[in-house]
Amino acid sequence: MAIPKDARINLSPEDIPKRWYNLAADIPDLKPPLNPGTGEVAKPSDFEPIFCKEIIRQEGSTERYIDIPEEVRDNLIYLNRPAPLQRAYRLERYLKTPAKIYFKREDMSPLGSHKGNTALAQAYYNAEAGIHTLTTETGAGQWGTALAMVSNLYDLDTTVFMVKGSYMAKPLRKTIINTYGAKIYASPSEYTEFGRKILKEHPETTGSLGIAISEACELAAKDPGTNYSLGSVLNHVMLHQTVIGLETMQQMEIGEIEPDYVVACTGGGSNFGGMCFPMMGKKIRGEGFKETQFVAVEPKAAPSLTEGQFKYDFGDTGGFTPLLMMYTLGSEFIPNEIHAGGLRYHGMSPLVSAAYNTGLLSARSYDQTQTFEAGLLFARTEGIIPAPESCHALKGAIDLALDAKAKNEEKTIVFCLSGHGLLDLYGYEQYMDGTLPSSDIHQ
Ligand SMILES: *Cc1c(COP(=O)(O)O)cnc(C)c1O
């Protein structure tokens, strides 16, 4: 059956947004980070051992728009921006749904995910500030890959701490990160004090993002020429990711698409925030998207929004970071092993958390046995193998489309395909041979 010519809406390089959108300008009652030592509001200088000044400024900014440096815009082209907005006709047809399903293609970046959007900006500002090395954590490996690659554009060295469970399950990630010239350690590692402490207490641990963050921060704090770079959670990361939603808004205008639902998966919240915040801002200001519902999809293994508490908590396990006001399962919570390593985080972006607390979005959670089923279906209908993380958003979109079918409603659903799963095939293999374990924390 022929697919209409408007199945894919493309923009040209000059349509790459010129400024990022900052939800902190529009969200009421955003609570600032606290210094855990004093209990007072954290000062910019508290962040200086690990972040450069411009990043710290953006982290605390309440300006609605922040200009994207020309050089960063130019480099976004190499990440295949603008990313297409595509309609999933074949999936719709398979589901026999009257709903229209669109997806934003962050999988088309040569890095395989949306993570490059903030990696580029962070590497740029740190290089400008005279930093020579960046340290970071990575779960499934997408963020470490992105930072390793963009570091080459700015002559930076990168050291990545990869959660041990993922490091073992996805050995090719190490190869990619080494190919881009960065160093990588399985976390917890012998390379840091905190890593050695955890290894002594829990020699068998498969690690967690919280532990890997502690290791990366420790190195950055020790050397003035080394900074830490975070792939999600913080306000400046949400800001850099808004190119996703700003582009999508232009594409929806071209395609005359009015979304009933915008769906994205949530680990630390950055592809969700990047996709939804520009639209949410308009909704808050009464400038559109009045009927649009924003839906966050998280794994049952780390359900911070659906089952966490809204309170001040550490961003890492070691307690090195400032206290963040967020939905959290507790900084010591170590999620069950899942293939969607990028969603295995105890907390949630303070901006996404504040929006959730205000009722601006809803959240739902799925077990990985459900999300891989959705991924397989997408591969066999649309030809794209989604990242295990993105399968969560996809599963959310499919359920909304089936709901529309049951009610015979012509809903429009837009979801963020945050990355491809070509380095996560082991999860698909397990799903297909029936050995994929359930990951629900309640089991
Ligand atoms: C890292 C990652 C996520 C989760 O992180 P967010 O900050 O919540 O976006 C989702 N999808 C992919 C492909 C990732 O690499």
Side-chain angles (χ1 to χ4, degrees):
M1 209 186 271
I3 294 291
K5 300 265 185 296
D6 66 353
R8 178 161 155 161
I9 302 169
N10 287 308
L11 299 173
S12 30
E14 57 271 23
D15 300 321
I16 291 176
K18 294 198 168 57
R19 31 187 217 170
W20 293 298
Y21 166 71
N22 183 11
L23 184 72
D26 291 312
I27 192 113
D29 206 24
L30 184 64
K31 298 275 192 299
L34 302 181
N35 178 320
T38 62
E40 307 278 317
V41 173
K43 293 192 284 293
S45 58
D46 293 349
F47 296 95
E48 275 170 19
I50 59 168
F51 291 130
C52 67
K53 287 215 165 77
E54 179 56 22
I55 294 288
I56 298 171
R57 189 188 76 76
Q58 293 182 359
E59 187 57 28
S61 170
T62 51
E63 282 167 75
R64 185 165 290 137
Y65 296 102
I66 294 179
D67 286 342
I68 306 179
E70 191 67 33
E71 200 180 321
V72 172
R73 280 188 79 223
D74 286 350
N75 279 325
L76 284 170
I77 298 172
Y78 293 101
L79 302 185
N80 268 331
R81 301 217 78 85
L85 182 70
Q86 198 160 309
R87 181 151 168 202
Y89 276 109
R90 302 182 199 84
L91 176 64
E92 289 171 17
R93 211 171 281 159
Y94 176 89
L95 297 173
K96 299 190 173 65
T97 174
K100 295 178 188 148
I101 305 173
Y102 294 88
F103 58 106
K104 179 69 170 168
R105 295 205 56 184
E106 295 300 314
D107 64 301
M108 285 180 64
S109 163
L111 304 175
S113 80
H114 66 293
K115 295 289 200 316
N117 301 330
T118 182
L120 258 185
Q122 293 190 46
Y124 170 82
Y125 290 123
N126 277 291
E128 290 272 289
I131 291 299
H132 57 69
T133 302
L134 291 175
T135 65
T136 197
E137 76 295 332
T138 196
Q142 305 268 27
W143 168 241
T145 299
L147 198 68
M149 182 275 193
V150 303
S151 290
N152 291 318
L153 301 174
Y154 300 103
D155 264 341
L156 293 162
D157 289 329
T158 294
T159 301
V160 179
F161 292 91
M162 181 163 180
V163 178
K164 191 180 277 170
S166 299
Y167 184 92
M168 316 272 258
K170 303 176 186 189
L172 288 178
R173 275 290 172 198
K174 171 180 181 294
T175 312
I176 294 180
I177 288 171
N178 287 153
T179 302
Y180 282 133
K183 290 200 195 84
I184 176 167
Y185 299 98
S187 167
S189 76
E190 293 286 352
Y191 196 65
T192 64
E193 241 168 77
F194 186 71
R196 288 190 291 273
K197 175 170 171 267
I198 294 278
L199 282 174
K200 210 162 147 202
E201 288 165 12
H202 310 279
E204 303 299 321
T205 183
T206 51
S208 71
L209 275 170
I211 294 169
I213 294 173
S214 297
E215 289 201 270
C217 286
E218 182 186 318
L219 281 196
K222 276 186 186 153
D223 172 16
T226 299
N227 268 350
Y228 167 65
S229 185
L230 186 62
S232 187
V233 184
L234 295 180
N235 299 356
H236 66 273
V237 182
M238 305 295 127
L239 177 79
H240 302 156
Q241 290 293 358
T242 58
V243 293
I244 303 173
L246 291 165
E247 283 177 13
T248 304
M249 280 160 61
Q250 294 182 59
Q251 289 158 318
M252 291 192 304
E253 208 171 306
I254 293 168
E256 294 174 16
I257 299 159
E258 287 178 16
D260 295 289
Y261 300 100
V262 183
V263 187
C265 65
T266 44
S270 74
N271 86 91
F272 177 88
M275 180 72 167
C276 299
F277 284 179
M279 300 175 220
M280 223 179 246
K282 284 202 174 271
K283 183 168 181 166
I284 298 171
R285 301 195 303 275
E287 294 170 7
F289 298 95
K290 195 161 167 259
E291 305 299 330
T292 304
Q293 295 183 46
F294 302 97
V295 184
V297 188
E298 54 187 17
K300 283 236 186 279
S304 50
L305 288 174
T306 50
E307 296 186 44
Q309 279 180 301
F310 192 41
K311 63 176 190 185
Y312 273 106
D313 194 12
F314 290 107
D316 67 331
T317 306
F320 295 117
T321 69
L323 292 165
L324 304 173
M325 185 66 183
M326 61 180 179
Y327 279 86
T328 174
L329 297 157
S331 58
E332 283 171 21
F333 176 81
I334 299 190
N336 284 342
E337 206 53 57
I338 48 171
H339 289 285
L343 306 183
R344 252 186 104 231
Y345 183 60
H346 67 271
M348 182 52 60
S349 141
L351 275 169
V352 174
S353 294
Y356 185 60
N357 194 49
T358 318
L360 283 161
L361 59 122
S362 65
R364 51 178 71 191
S365 65
Y366 293 110
D367 186 87
Q368 66 175 359
T369 51
Q370 301 171 289
T371 54
F372 273 105
E373 181 185 20
L376 203 80
L377 177 58
F378 203 66
R380 291 178 185 182
T381 50
E382 296 297 325
I384 300 165
I385 300 180
E389 292 84 1
S390 316
C391 287
H392 289 70
L394 168 66
K395 170 68 178 161
I398 289 176
D399 277 6
L400 289 168
L402 291 176
D403 197 42
K405 176 179 169 179
K407 296 179 187 148
N408 199 21
E409 291 173 342
E410 274 187 43
K411 296 288 184 190
T412 300
I413 301 159
V414 180
F415 79 92
C416 183
L417 189 75
S418 52
H420 70 65
L422 292 177
L423 287 152
D424 306 280
L425 293 174
Y426 183 51
Y428 281 91
E429 189 176 301
Q430 281 193 325
Y431 177 75
M432 288 185 285
D433 66 21
T435 58
L436 183 71
S438 162
S439 57
D440 195 328
I441 49 172
H442 302 296
Q443 291 184 351

